[in-house]
Amino acid sequence: MEEKKRNTVVIAVGNQKGGVGKTTNTIQLAGALAERGRRSLIIDLDMTSGATKALRAPTEGWNSSFELLTGAENPEDTIITSEETEVALPPNIHLVPSSRKLAELDTFLIQNPWLIHQDLLLEPINRLRGKYDYVFLNTPPQKTKTTIPALKVADFAVLSAMPDHLAVSALAEALSDIAAAQRHANPQLALLGVVVCAMPRPKTRLARELTAYVERTCVDAHGVTLKFATEISRSVVVQEAQRDGQTIMQYQGDHPVADEYRTLAKEFEDRLARLRTERVISLTTQAEMDHA
Ligand SMILES: Nc1ncnc2c1ncn2[C@@H]1O[C@H](COP(=O)(O)OP(=O)(O)OP(=O)(O)O)[C@@H](O)[C@H]1O
Ligand SMILES: [Mg+2]
C-alpha cells in the first residue's frame, strides 16, 4: 500500500558554539514528536558524529551524510531506519549517520568545480520530502562546509542555548548567520525558535540573564520573542538515556525532563501550524494583489 504523503518540514538545528545541546535537543524533540505520531529523519552533518554516537549508530562502514551530500548514493540508501536489526534506533526516528569522510568535502568540491556548494542538499532533500514529518539537520558548531547547504535547504532554523558565559556571543553570531543565509541563499528561511536547555534548578543568576537575553534579542518581525516558553532542566537523566542510545521518553518516560520535551514538542508544532497559516495567508494576499 502506498504510504500517505507527509508535509515535510526541514529544520536546521544550530548554534556556533559547541556543547550547547544541539544534538540532545534534536534527538529528544524527535523522540517527543514520535510520541505524537510523527516520523523524523535526523541527518548528522557533524564530522564529530554527535547524533550518530548518541543514537549508538555506526560511524564507519555504512553510507553517511558524505554520500548524501556528494550524490554518491541515492538519499534513501544513506538512511538507517528503525527496522534495521543491527542498530536499535528509537521508534519513528531514522538517521543518516555522519562519518569522518565529511573532512573530504573540501577536496570533493575542488575536484568538482561545477557543483555549487550551497546547493548540495537541495536535490537529496527534495527527494526525501513527503516521506517524513520532520527532517532535522544536525549541524556542527562552526561554520563548516556542511552548515551552508543546511541553511540553504532548511524551512526553519532552531537554535539551542545553555546558560554559559560564551552563550551570548555565540547566539548573536548564529542570528547573523541566519540573516546572511536569508539574504544570500534562502529568503524563506525563518528562525522558528530558541530552546533554552540544561537549566539549573533553582535558576542561577547566569541562567536568568541568559533567559532574559534570549527573550529580548531573539524576536520575530513583530517583536514577539522566539524563545520557546518551555525550558529544559539540567538533569543526569539526559546523559543516562544517551549512554543507552535512547530517548528520555524511552529510558524514563515519567521523568519531568521527558514531560518538558513533550511540552516543547507541542509548543513547536503549535508554532509551526501558526506560521504555516500566516505564510499561506500572505501568499494568498500576494496572489490577490498580483491578480488585481
Ligand atoms: N538538559 C540537560 N541536562 C544535562 N546535561 C545535558 C542537557 N542537555 C545536554 N546535556 C549534555 O551537554 C553536553 C552537550 O550537549 P550536546 O552534545 O547535545 O551539545 P551540542 O551542541 O550538540 O555539542 P557539539 O557542538 O559538540 O555537537 C552533552 O554531554 C549532553 O549530554
Ligand atoms: Mg552535537
Side-chain angles (χ1 to χ4, degrees):
M1 198 182 71
E2 181 82 356
E3 260 197 66
K4 79 169 164 66
K5 250 193 159 3
R6 294 166 197 253
N7 197 351
T8 308
V9 184
V10 182
I11 313 257
V13 185
N15 191 327
Q16 292 313 336
K17 190 177 162 344
V20 288
K22 295 183 292 292
T23 301
T24 305
N25 287 331
T26 303
I27 294 173
Q28 302 308 334
L29 183 58
L33 289 164
E35 283 191 341
R36 297 167 68 84
R38 316 291 186 244
R39 185 199 281 172
S40 296
L41 173 67
I42 298 176
I43 303 183
D44 193 350
L45 294 170
D46 186 354
M47 203 166 59
T48 63
S49 303
T52 308
K53 287 179 187 158
L55 290 167
R56 297 275 165 272
T59 56
E60 297 300 328
W62 292 59
N63 284 333
S64 69
S65 53
F66 179 75
E67 283 75 19
L68 180 89
L69 281 155
T70 56
E73 298 285 346
N74 285 331
E76 294 82 359
D77 296 334
T78 63
I79 298 173
I80 302 178
T81 69
S82 26
E83 287 85 52
E84 199 70 54
T85 46
E86 290 165 72
V87 188
L89 289 178
N92 266 328
I93 298 182
H94 296 184
L95 172 75
V96 177
S98 87
S99 82
R100 283 203 297 266
K101 271 187 273 176
L102 282 176
E104 295 160 28
L105 200 57
D106 271 322
T107 317
F108 170 83
L109 284 164
I110 293 166
Q111 287 167 347
N112 293 277
W114 294 103
L115 293 183
I116 300 167
H117 171 209
Q118 61 170 235
D119 291 349
L120 286 183
L121 280 171
L122 290 186
E123 215 180 291
I125 294 291
N126 272 341
R127 276 189 59 155
L128 296 173
R129 280 190 190 270
K131 295 185 165 56
Y132 292 93
D133 297 295
Y134 300 105
V135 174
F136 289 101
L137 305 171
N138 185 64
T139 66
Q142 291 87 22
K143 238 173 294 173
T144 57
K145 280 277 179 295
T146 60
T147 309
I148 286 163
L151 288 178
K152 167 80 184 231
V153 78
D155 301 312
F156 293 98
V158 165
L159 295 177
S160 183
M162 275 186 192
D164 178 291
H165 287 290
L166 297 171
V168 166
S169 62
L171 262 181
E173 215 182 310
L175 291 174
S176 86
D177 282 349
I178 294 171
Q182 276 167 337
R183 201 164 50 246
H184 301 296
N186 182 0
Q188 295 295 318
L189 179 68
L191 175 62
L192 182 70
V194 185
V195 183
V196 175
C197 62
M199 268 292 164
R201 309 281 184 197
K203 278 190 193 179
T204 56
R205 207 182 95 199
L206 180 64
R208 283 198 305 274
E209 281 170 6
L210 175 78
T211 312
Y213 175 82
V214 173
E215 247 156 29
R216 208 173 51 243
T217 53
C218 302
V219 291
D220 68 10
H222 312 289
V224 178
T225 188
L226 291 171
K227 175 186 163 293
F228 286 109
T230 318
E231 294 171 2
I232 308 295
S233 305
R234 176 178 290 279
S235 164
V236 288
V237 80
V238 173
Q239 274 102 358
E240 286 171 2
Q242 238 155 35
R243 186 194 56 208
D244 288 3
Q246 293 190 335
T247 65
I248 305 164
M249 283 49 67
Q250 290 175 289
Y251 180 78
Q252 201 181 325
D254 60 353
H255 194 281
V257 173
D259 278 336
E260 289 170 353
Y261 276 110
R262 290 184 184 111
T263 314
L264 179 67
K266 174 159 191 326
E267 200 185 347
F268 170 92
E269 290 211 303
D270 287 348
R271 195 175 286 190
L272 267 176
R274 205 185 61 234
L275 286 175
R276 274 174 161 172
T277 318
E278 279 173 16
R279 274 188 188 179
V280 172
I281 291 171
S282 85
L283 282 174
T284 319
T285 321
Q286 187 62 45
E288 279 162 2
M289 274 162 45
D290 291 347
H291 193 69

